[in-house]
Amino acid sequence: MAVDAREFKRGMRQLASAVCVVTTSVDGVRNGLTATAVMSLTADPPQVGVAVNKSASAFAMLSTSGRFAVNVLSRAQQPIAEVFSGAGGVKGAARFETGDARWSTGVTGAPLLDAASVSLDCSTARQVDLGTHVLFVGLVEDVRACDERAPLLFLDGGWGGLIRD
Ligand SMILES: Cc1cc2nc3c(=O)[nH]c(=O)nc-3n(C[C@H](O)[C@H](O)[C@H](O)COP(=O)(O)O)c2cc1C
């Protein structure tokens, strides 16, 4: 029996996730979105996956640029997560002007967020059509890690942090 989509979404709200901002650029024009459908795939070769909705404003650029970065956010970077999720109606390159966020350009040309917990700079290895979404498989060309920072998490529709045992 098919599972109702609402039931599925209600269940997935209980999956606590690290929050990432996935960025790309084409001819110097930057775009990006907040994403939690991010996973480590393989270590050899180093690959990550990101599922992106075809309706996202950054989708077209992601599918043509051949590069993207996965910026894993720290707890202090929640305002960046909000803007890149479309809150406030900020679109496209203007999202990169949020607060005092600083960005640099990775070896692939993708935008990297300074002070992210870690930024994975990827060339796009494969795009897998999943219907509403495309799974972008990235070959990690560079890893830029900061010192350990408290992670930003998302659970049951809300932002939070991690309390360690
Ligand atoms: C916590 C959180 C996680 C999200 N994860 C994803 C994701 O993994 N994939 C995706 O396509 N959209 C995800 N979104 C939605 C996109 O961030 C959002 O649709 C997009 O940035 C806004 O659309 P726009 O760029 O068209 O304005 C997430 C949103 C939030 C708030």
Side-chain angles (χ1 to χ4, degrees):
M1 195 174 75
V3 169
D4 177 69
R6 272 177 314 165
E7 274 302 291
F8 173 75
K9 288 180 183 172
R10 207 155 67 90
M12 295 312 294
R13 286 170 70 91
Q14 302 310 315
L15 181 67
S17 305
V19 180
C20 303
V21 166
V22 176
T23 56
T24 193
S25 72
V26 175
D27 297 332
V29 179
R30 300 176 294 180
N31 211 336
L33 74 155
T34 297
T36 52
V38 172
M39 73 222 76
S40 170
L41 292 173
T42 58
D44 185 17
Q47 294 186 114
V48 293
V50 184
V52 178
N53 197 310
K54 292 175 182 173
S55 70
S57 59
F59 176 78
M61 274 177 70
L62 275 166
S63 56
T64 57
S65 66
R67 63 177 74 100
F68 64 88
V70 176
N71 300 280
V72 181
L73 301 192
S74 71
R75 182 74 182 91
Q77 293 173 324
Q78 181 181 326
I80 300 172
E82 290 174 345
V83 166
F84 277 83
S85 72
V90 182
K91 290 277 185 193
R95 290 180 177 173
F96 292 79
E97 309 304 326
T98 309
D100 56 4
R102 299 220 180 293
W103 299 85
S104 54
T105 304
V107 292
T108 68
L112 307 185
L113 174 61
D114 293 355
S117 296
V118 61
S119 294
L120 304 165
D121 188 9
C122 304
S123 56
T124 307
R126 196 177 298 193
Q127 299 185 33
V128 182
D129 194 328
L130 302 176
T132 56
H133 287 58
V134 166
L135 177 67
F136 290 89
V137 176
L139 178 65
V140 180
E141 307 278 4
D142 195 23
V143 177
R144 205 175 68 183
C146 283
D147 297 336
E148 186 180 326
R149 290 171 191 270
L152 177 63
L153 302 179
F154 197 74
L155 174 67
D156 201 15
W159 311 101
L162 177 69
I163 300 168
R164 288 185 191 271
D165 284 341

